Amino acid sequence: MNLKITKLLADLTEQLNFIDLEIDNEIKKCEKAIEISVKAKDNLKALIHKTAFKSQEEEIQFFKEIKPQFLSKFIYYNAIYKIETKKPYGGNRILKKYYNNELIKIKRHFDNNLDFYRYYRTSSNYLDYKYFIRGKFDVKLALDSYYIETDHSFSTSHDYKVAKIIANDLIELYIESKILDMEIKEPREKSQLNHNSKQNWTGSKVALIELLYALHSDGVFNNGASDLKDIVEYFENIFNIDLGQYRRVFLEIRARKTDRTKFIMALNQVLLKRMDNTDEPI
């Protein structure tokens, strides 16, 4: 069972990483990520229902360490989806206030669950038999009302709380990065008000990575002496884009079953079509 769960988690992580690079729009990215996360959770649930835990320790490990890794991804993307769809229109001052209010909500959740945060953060285990064994809930241990409506064959009283902690850490990083990004870009945007030549890459990140690897392979920069890392950083700067773990993305491109150079082939077709269109001005 562990090998199957490991593969499920690896597949989920790979899919989420890929759409994080493929889709730039945060709302559309979250919609796709939520769909993928729910499907992975359902597959995990089906797997658990088919296989019994060998011991109480294995059950505790699953609900304390494994299931929260799946569930936290849904919680994270669902929260970001709500944050971005409710985001007000306005300047940086309004947006900063909005994002800071979201940080306050995370802090409030921390304050309301301080005892369990401390228990989880210190890797304590003396209450695991109550927190992470199905059917062992204790009303004195601050149960969330949602627990009453959950499927008790696939839930314990506190596995959701662990997932929420993991997700909140990521949500906090997301919000702080949004605020920091506004603070960094604000003066730069003011200095560029009269510069209309600035170009942003609006295609997919995967496509740009495919193109950069092709250009680097052909040695077109500095007579082939340029390092791939320097080329990527240069293009990130001029096109105002973050290509993230581009080497891992190249491995995924290389592993494609068909059309491994999909973007370059598409470029070839559109250029040939333009050449054939003799009426189009050069």
Side-chain angles (χ1 to χ4, degrees), residues 16-55:
L16 293 177
N17 286 339
F18 195 74
I19 66 168
D20 188 50
L21 290 167
E22 185 74 22
I23 305 174
D24 290 327
N25 182 282
E26 290 294 343
I27 293 176
K28 292 186 181 300
K29 181 188 298 181
C30 288
E31 288 175 346
K32 187 63 177 177
I34 290 170
E35 176 186 333
I36 292 170
S37 300
V38 169
K39 184 176 180 180
K41 189 266 296 179
D42 290 341
N43 289 338
L44 180 67
K45 182 177 180 180
L47 182 61
I48 292 304
H49 284 169
K50 291 178 182 178
T51 312
F53 293 111
K54 296 178 182 178
S55 64

Side-chain angles (χ1 to χ4, degrees), residues 72 75-76 79-80 103 106-107 109-110 117 120-121 161-177:
S72 63
I75 296 172
Y76 169 75
I80 300 303
L103 289 176
I106 295 177
K107 177 62 166 56
H109 181 270
F110 171 81
Y117 265 86
Y120 178 72
R121 297 289 194 205
K161 284 182 179 288
V162 174
K164 185 73 171 176
I165 290 174
I166 296 171
N168 276 353
D169 287 345
L170 296 174
I171 296 166
E172 187 173 7
L173 286 174
Y174 174 88
I175 296 173
E176 288 175 347
S177 70

Side-chain angles (χ1 to χ4, degrees), residues 199-264:
Q199 301 295 317
N200 293 323
W201 180 268
T202 55
S204 75
K205 295 179 182 180
V206 176
L208 180 55
I209 291 170
E210 180 185 320
L211 178 62
L212 291 183
Y213 265 88
L215 294 173
H216 177 255
S217 299
D218 198 39
V220 298
F221 300 107
N222 295 332
N223 295 316
S226 294
D227 185 75
L228 177 63
K229 181 175 182 293
D230 295 332
I231 295 170
V232 169
E233 289 178 353
Y234 179 77
F235 273 78
E236 284 180 324
N237 181 53
I238 63 171
F239 286 143
N240 191 31
I241 191 171
D242 180 8
L243 294 178
Q245 300 181 39
Y246 58 91
R247 296 185 190 276
R248 181 186 57 75
V249 175
F250 178 69
L251 292 177
E252 294 174 355
I253 293 173
R254 194 176 69 178
R256 288 172 178 166
K257 300 298 183 183
T258 59
D259 297 337
R260 293 199 292 177
T261 56
K262 180 169 60 175
F263 179 62
I264 294 172

Side-chain angles (χ1 to χ4, degrees), residues 124-163:
S124 298
N125 57 20
Y126 59 91
L127 287 175
D128 283 1
Y129 73 101
K130 287 190 175 182
Y131 287 153
F132 305 111
I133 294 291
R134 291 167 294 181
K136 297 291 184 180
F137 69 90
D138 188 338
V139 294
K140 297 178 182 178
L141 297 177
L143 284 178
D144 289 330
S145 57
Y146 80 90
Y147 175 68
I148 303 301
E149 300 179 359
T150 59
D151 179 356
H152 292 183
S153 68
F154 189 60
S155 299
T156 68
S157 63
H158 283 66
D159 61 80
Y160 183 87
K161 284 182 179 288
V162 174

